[in-house]
Amino acid sequence: MKLSNTPSNLSELPIYRKALEIFALSQNISVYLNHDLSTLREDGSEDQNIYFSGDIVQQSVSLAPEIMNAELERHSERKYKHIASLKRLTNLLYKNSYRLERSNSNGKDFLPVLRRELKKFKKLQSSWMLTL
C-alpha cells in the first residue's frame, strides 16, 4: 500500500514501513480467517469473530496514514492527537488479535506472528516519537 501523496522521505521511515507490513499481514490473516469464519453454524447463526477479522484490517490500514499525518503536522497539539490515535490503534490490534485467537479457525496460528510484529512496531513507535 503506497499512498499517492506520501512524501518520499516518509517511505524511508522504519515505523512507516513496519506499518505497511502490519497492514499486509493483517489483510492476509483476515482473508485466511474469513474462509473458516464465514460459514454459518448449525443453528444458522454466524460466528461473531468474523467481525474482529475485519477490525484488524481496518485498524491496520489506519496506521500508515496516522504516521504520515503526525509527520506532516506542524502544530504539536494536533501532532500528539495523531500519536495518541496510533497508540490506540495498536492497542486495539493487540486486543482483537487475542479475541481472534479464541476463534474456531486454523488461521489463528498466524496471530502470534501479528503480535510479534506489533511488538516491534511499538518499539519503533517509542523511538520515532522522540524524533517528532
Side-chain angles (χ1 to χ4, degrees):
M1 178 180 131
K2 175 95 167 100
L3 301 175
S4 58
N5 57 354
T6 305
S8 60
N9 64 339
L10 188 61
S11 61
E12 296 170 9
L13 285 174
I15 188 170
Y16 187 80
R17 287 194 309 265
K18 182 59 74 180
L20 295 179
E21 288 175 23
I22 289 171
F23 168 65
L25 181 60
S26 297
Q27 200 171 27
N28 290 332
I29 290 171
S30 179
V31 167
Y32 194 88
L33 289 171
N34 279 340
H35 179 71
D36 292 339
L37 300 176
S38 63
T39 57
L40 295 177
R41 295 183 182 151
E42 290 179 17
D43 64 356
S45 65
E46 63 186 1
D47 191 333
Q48 295 298 311
N49 291 315
I50 196 162
Y51 298 111
F52 298 129
S53 69
D55 288 347
I56 64 169
V57 173
Q58 188 62 43
Q59 291 151 359
S60 65
V61 77
S62 300
L63 294 175
E66 286 297 339
I67 294 166
M68 183 176 72
N69 290 336
E71 281 286 329
L72 297 176
E73 188 60 60
R74 293 181 187 267
H75 303 303
S76 63
E77 186 176 310
R78 287 189 231 151
K79 188 178 290 233
Y80 289 115
K81 285 184 180 183
H82 293 294
I83 292 170
S85 178
L86 193 62
K87 284 181 178 181
R88 190 172 46 255
L89 288 167
T90 307
N91 290 333
L92 284 171
L93 275 163
Y94 259 106
K95 188 190 313 186
N96 286 329
S97 72
Y98 280 113
R99 287 176 174 166
L100 281 168
E101 201 163 30
R102 292 188 300 255
S103 69
N104 187 24
S105 171
N106 295 331
K108 65 184 177 185
D109 297 336
F110 297 110
L111 293 164
V113 174
L114 176 61
R115 283 195 298 276
R116 276 194 301 274
E117 294 304 311
L118 285 169
K119 188 179 265 189
K120 292 175 190 174
F121 182 76
K122 280 188 169 190
K123 286 181 183 178
L124 289 171
Q125 189 177 12
S126 296
S127 60
W128 169 73
M129 287 186 329
L130 296 174
T131 66
L132 293 177

